[in-house]
Amino acid sequence: MKQTKNDMIVSLKDIFVEFDGEVILNHINLDIKDKEFVTILGPSGCGKTTTLRIIGGFLEPDSGDVYFDGEKINGLPPHKRNVNTVFQKYSLFPHLNVFDNIAFGMRIKKVPKDEIKKRVKEMLAIVDLKGYEKRSVSKLSGGQQQRVAIARALVCDPKVLLLDEPLGALDLKLRKIMQSELKQIQQKTNTTFIYVTHDQEEALTMSDTVVVMNNGVIEQIGSPTDVYNEPVNAFVADFIGEANILNGVMIDDCRVRVLGEELECVDKGFGQNAPVDIVIRPEDIELVKPEQAKLVGEVVDVVFKGVHYEMTVMCNGCEWIIHSTECSPVGSTVGMKIIPFNIQIMNKMFLAEKNTFYADVISADEEENTITVRVEDSEFEIEGHYYEEGTKLAISIPPNGLSIAGDGVGHLDDVYIESVIFKGEHNEIILESDRQKWLMQSDVDEQVATYVPMKFDFTKAEFRVMEAENEA
């Protein structure tokens, strides 16, 4: 079965992957154009390397289709795909010199010697290793070894090169140099590069297109400028560069309330009095005299970053990060002026104001005023409440009524941390259990993509008896 011919070299259609009952890729769709540099970006455990392995043929999806140059290639082994891969560990042959490492794949394919010599010479020039033919790879620097690995992958002329965090083993200075060199190599060879990383700077520096992933789904696809300036949600805004992310209320089109002040913006279509997330980049805030701005705060910290000063300003109990070439000293009062165009409005990732879940009362003690309930597959006791055995309850708890159990014993175990976003006053954490998602507020910066025990503070809960059997 062929797709319509176009400039797409790789297409993933409704790809689903599950390992041991855990969803790794949740029906993703991705089209990659020929000759472009695409970076798949996201935190550990988001599914980016699994996506790369599916394109390379190292893993078959549970469902969905993979197309290469218009042809469906499900089940086609890696060596029959016009794709090559560079891993973080370059897997060079230590007993072979630079020439023989690069020539290895062509010799396996029985390419004539004269052709091998010609192509290796051309590739050494492209990766800036001319004259290194007889050098032992063990005597090369990390950056040189990486270039040998890239040359070995490209010399067989694949249409797509997959790169799985190949800069991860290099020091910071060398990584920056190699970012520029990788882009130059891609442009010289006109090869499609699909690059996987968790480093936002790499993605913004090298890519034509950035694919932002989280928790097995694609959050946004766009140019580096698009994903930085127009993030689709708080996760993308937080993951791509520094950002002030705040809770707000969209009063009406082009008017938003934040920290008790009404500001003009350019966004429309969110409705009236709708809860929203607001993103303002640190460089988009101008420090002015207090009387010249609606938002006024106190500078509590200043760090010189070379190009600019990074200042922390407390405004109405909320922490702001501001980048400016002019320094306001600690303790000074400043106004924060923001033009409407620089205020980005986004739908909230979690709409409900409270976490509502359902519980079955499996035993009750009227004298002790306690009940034992079953929630999902867990059973636990709730003090200070009595309902007859067999009662079905709807329980609502605000985000600040949830916490991670420090002693390791929670009401629900193995709850997955999906995202952690600082909102100026606290971290908003989205978690997922077997049957639903939860919103938690915390002063602790928890680790994304980990499993934790979660506790409820039932002193902050509202209880409601479910009257009808189908009410839940």
Side-chain angles (χ1 to χ4, degrees), residues 37-51:
F37 196 124
V38 176
T39 297
I40 303 176
L41 176 69
S44 298
C46 72
K48 55 187 185 293
T49 295
T50 301
T51 303

Side-chain angles (χ1 to χ4, degrees), residues 367-378:
E367 184 176 337
E368 295 292 332
N369 196 27
T370 62
I371 56 174
T372 299
V373 299
R374 181 183 292 112
V375 177
E376 297 192 5
D377 294 323
S378 298

Side-chain angles (χ1 to χ4, degrees), residues 217 221 372:
V217 300
I221 300 173
T372 299

Side-chain angles (χ1 to χ4, degrees), residues 246-265 271-278 280 294-295 316 320 343 345:
L246 307 164
N247 293 314
V249 176
M250 201 70 181
I251 301 169
D252 208 336
D253 286 350
C254 303
R255 290 191 300 138
V256 65
R257 182 182 297 111
V258 56
L259 299 179
E261 298 291 344
E262 185 177 322
L263 303 178
E264 291 183 20
C265 60
Q272 294 182 331
N273 299 316
V276 293
D277 282 331
I278 301 169
I280 303 170
K294 291 184 177 182
L295 295 171
N316 295 349
W320 293 67
I343 300 175
I345 308 297

Side-chain angles (χ1 to χ4, degrees), residues 266-430:
V266 296
D267 293 286
K268 301 178 180 179
F270 289 85
Q272 294 182 331
N273 299 316
V276 293
D277 282 331
I278 301 169
V279 172
I280 303 170
R281 297 292 183 183
E283 66 272 18
D284 290 334
I285 302 172
E286 180 185 358
L287 293 180
V288 296
K289 294 179 180 179
E291 60 270 21
Q292 295 178 322
K294 291 184 177 182
L295 295 171
V296 177
E298 179 186 352
V299 179
V300 296
D301 188 46
V302 177
V303 177
F304 180 56
K305 294 280 189 172
V307 178
H308 61 260
Y309 294 93
E310 181 173 281
M311 288 163 278
T312 304
V313 176
M314 292 301 297
C315 173
N316 295 349
C318 186
E319 180 180 297
W320 293 67
I321 301 298
I322 300 172
H323 293 168
S324 176
T325 55
E326 296 183 5
C327 178
S328 294
V330 172
S332 60
T333 300
V334 295
M336 298 185 295
K337 185 178 179 181
I338 311 157
I339 65 172
F341 181 78
N342 288 331
I343 300 175
Q344 305 297 325
I345 308 297
M346 305 172 301
N347 289 313
K348 297 189 74 64
M349 295 176 64
F350 195 100
L351 291 175
E353 295 182 4
K354 295 184 177 181
N355 300 283
T356 298
F357 58 101
Y358 303 98
D360 295 317
V361 179
I362 57 176
S363 66
D365 190 322
E366 186 171 10
E367 184 176 337
E368 295 292 332
N369 196 27
T370 62
I371 56 174
T372 299
V373 299
R374 181 183 292 112
V375 177
E376 297 192 5
D377 294 323
S378 298
E379 297 178 5
F380 48 83
E381 186 178 81
I382 301 176
E383 298 179 347
H385 295 273
Y386 173 78
Y387 298 94
E388 292 183 356
E389 183 178 333
T391 302
K392 294 183 180 294
L393 297 173
I395 304 175
S396 297
I397 299 182
N400 63 3
L402 272 57
S403 63
I404 305 300
D407 58 2
V409 180
H411 294 110
L412 293 181
D413 294 326
D414 296 329
V415 179
Y416 182 78
I417 297 180
E418 184 176 306
S419 69
V420 180
I421 298 171
F422 183 60
K423 289 293 190 72
E425 300 170 273
H426 52 254
N427 289 302
E428 280 195 359
I429 303 175
I430 297 179

Side-chain angles (χ1 to χ4, degrees), residues 86-378:
V86 177
F87 299 99
Q88 184 172 342
K89 294 182 179 179
Y90 309 136
S91 301
L92 300 177
F93 301 113
H95 63 289
L96 300 180
N97 61 23
V98 169
F99 183 97
D100 290 335
N101 263 279
I102 296 173
F104 184 82
M106 290 187 291
R107 285 175 175 157
I108 293 294
K109 294 181 178 181
K110 301 189 182 304
V111 175
K113 288 184 178 180
D114 290 346
E115 181 69 12
I116 290 176
K117 187 175 180 179
K118 177 188 175 202
R119 284 161 66 175
V120 170
K121 185 177 180 180
E122 290 173 349
M123 194 53 60
L124 284 168
I126 288 174
V127 299
D128 199 23
L129 286 176
K130 192 174 180 180
Y132 282 72
E133 293 93 328
K134 297 181 180 180
R135 188 77 61 90
S136 168
V137 293
S138 62
K139 294 183 179 180
L140 300 179
S141 69
Q144 290 168 337
Q145 288 182 359
Q146 187 208 52
R147 279 180 270 167
V148 172
I150 292 169
R152 184 177 64 182
L154 287 173
V155 76
C156 293
D157 197 27
K159 295 200 72 172
V160 175
L161 184 66
L162 309 178
L163 301 106
D164 191 3
E165 303 202 50
L167 305 186
L170 305 181
D171 62 60
L172 180 60
K173 184 176 181 180
L174 189 54
R175 288 179 73 159
K176 289 182 178 294
I177 294 171
M178 288 307 302
Q179 288 171 17
S180 175
E181 291 193 2
L182 271 175
K183 183 61 179 175
Q184 291 175 19
I185 291 169
Q186 188 265 333
Q187 291 172 338
K188 287 177 184 177
T189 60
N190 276 326
T191 303
T192 304
F193 275 29
I194 305 177
Y195 188 97
V196 159
T197 184
H198 62 272
D199 188 308
Q200 56 181 282
E201 183 182 343
E202 290 180 5
L204 296 177
T205 300
M206 298 186 293
S207 311
D208 300 312
T209 300
V210 178
V211 180
V212 185
M213 293 189 67
N214 182 38
N215 202 35
V217 300
I218 295 174
E219 298 282 0
Q220 185 170 0
I221 300 173
S223 69
T225 304
D226 289 339
V227 296
Y228 186 82
N229 291 329
E230 299 287 343
V232 296
N233 57 33
F235 171 81
V236 176
D238 183 61
F239 200 78
I240 304 288
E242 292 188 82
N244 297 288
I245 305 176
L246 307 164
N247 293 314
V249 176
M250 201 70 181
I251 301 169
D252 208 336
D253 286 350
C254 303
R255 290 191 300 138
V256 65
R257 182 182 297 111
V258 56
L259 299 179
E261 298 291 344
E262 185 177 322
L263 303 178
E264 291 183 20
C265 60
V266 296
D267 293 286
K268 301 178 180 179
F270 289 85
Q272 294 182 331
N273 299 316
V276 293
D277 282 331
I278 301 169
V279 172
I280 303 170
R281 297 292 183 183
E283 66 272 18
D284 290 334
I285 302 172
E286 180 185 358
L287 293 180
V288 296
K289 294 179 180 179
E291 60 270 21
Q292 295 178 322
K294 291 184 177 182
L295 295 171
V296 177
E298 179 186 352
V299 179
V300 296
D301 188 46
V302 177
V303 177
F304 180 56
K305 294 280 189 172
V307 178
H308 61 260
Y309 294 93
E310 181 173 281
M311 288 163 278
T312 304
V313 176
M314 292 301 297
C315 173
N316 295 349
C318 186
E319 180 180 297
W320 293 67
I321 301 298
I322 300 172
H323 293 168
S324 176
T325 55
E326 296 183 5
C327 178
S328 294
V330 172
S332 60
T333 300
V334 295
M336 298 185 295
K337 185 178 179 181
I338 311 157
I339 65 172
F341 181 78
N342 288 331
I343 300 175
Q344 305 297 325
I345 308 297
M346 305 172 301
N347 289 313
K348 297 189 74 64
M349 295 176 64
F350 195 100
L351 291 175
E353 295 182 4
K354 295 184 177 181
N355 300 283
T356 298
F357 58 101
Y358 303 98
D360 295 317
V361 179
I362 57 176
S363 66
D365 190 322
E366 186 171 10
E367 184 176 337
E368 295 292 332
N369 196 27
T370 62
I371 56 174
T372 299
V373 299
R374 181 183 292 112
V375 177
E376 297 192 5
D377 294 323
S378 298

